[in-house]
Amino acid sequence: LLGYAGMLHDVGKQDISHSILCKTELLDDVERKVMKLHVRLGLDVLTDVHPDIRKIIVSHHEYQTASYPRNGYERRSWRRRTRMIEIPVDFRAVEDRREVDIDRRQTDAMILNLGQMLAAADIYDALSSKREYKEGLSLDKVGEIMNKEYLGSKKYVMQLFEVSSLG
């Protein structure tokens, strides 16, 4: 499950404008909102994927201090309704007409732990990897940030650093 979720968790970025994905400056407020749509856009694409994989994917940004996609929603149930996100003309407008209901009341500890593992790995990768807009951070700096920003079980952070120290 984790392997598939790891491969598919950012598939929604395929629907985000290249000009946003590859921007070298900081994203403005509208661009950040568009980027945060990648989870929801991915769920639209992954309708036939096993529900447990979808539950892991939807949670992969919930274990950080600025969590989404359900920030402000009841954490066990997320319902998305029809709406239009207005963004500047040079970006592709994202129209969201399908309703997605992911109910995690029945989610077992395994799914929650896998979501935390994916979140930790995703944050680690985002911080340590070179991007068009930044250099990769040192492992010391990555650890410092993750200890502040990652809200899941710290054992997954420690395991990432143990693996990375092996070479």
Side-chain angles (χ1 to χ4, degrees):
L1 293 174
L2 182 60
Y4 286 115
M7 289 187 290
L8 298 171
H9 74 281
D10 280 341
V11 73
K13 287 184 179 178
Q14 72 184 356
D15 292 327
I16 304 293
S17 169
H18 187 72
S19 64
I20 294 175
L21 290 173
C22 297
K23 187 172 179 180
T24 56
E25 302 86 34
L26 289 176
L27 299 179
D28 64 31
D29 290 341
V30 173
E31 293 164 337
R32 271 193 301 283
K33 286 179 184 176
V34 171
M35 275 300 291
K36 287 182 177 185
L37 286 174
H38 82 275
V39 177
R40 294 174 183 185
L41 292 168
L43 290 176
D44 285 346
V45 172
L46 302 172
T47 55
D48 294 331
V49 171
H50 191 281
D52 287 345
I53 295 170
R54 290 169 49 90
K55 289 174 187 176
I56 296 166
I57 290 170
V58 78
S59 71
H60 87 273
H61 283 290
E62 292 185 352
Y63 299 100
Q64 58 193 43
T65 54
S67 63
Y68 66 92
R70 293 190 299 221
N71 189 20
Y73 293 87
E74 198 277 321
R75 288 187 59 80
R76 293 189 172 271
S77 179
W78 168 49
R79 186 175 298 272
R80 178 170 40 121
R81 304 224 183 263
T82 303
R83 67 193 179 117
M84 172 64 108
I85 307 250
E86 296 198 21
I87 54 179
V89 176
D90 59 330
F91 303 136
R92 181 173 92 66
V94 177
E95 187 172 358
D96 187 11
R97 296 201 180 273
R98 279 188 264 177
E99 184 178 283
V100 174
D101 188 13
I102 295 180
D103 187 353
R104 289 181 23 174
R105 280 183 280 258
Q106 302 300 317
T107 299
D108 60 31
M110 180 188 71
I111 297 299
L112 297 175
N113 287 328
L114 292 174
Q116 289 181 57
M117 288 179 205
L118 178 58
D122 192 43
I123 294 167
Y124 178 91
D125 178 62
L127 294 171
S128 64
S129 298
K130 182 179 191 247
R131 302 282 199 245
E132 301 228 8
Y133 53 89
K134 71 167 192 72
E135 293 297 318
L137 300 177
S138 70
L139 291 183
D140 288 339
K141 187 66 175 171
V142 171
E144 179 185 323
I145 293 170
M146 287 190 76
N147 281 323
K148 284 188 230 170
E149 300 289 324
Y150 176 70
L151 302 177
S153 174
K154 299 298 183 194
K155 70 181 178 183
Y156 300 124
V157 173
M158 291 177 5
Q159 289 171 355
L160 280 169
F161 282 92
E162 287 172 12
V163 170
S164 65
S165 69
L166 297 176

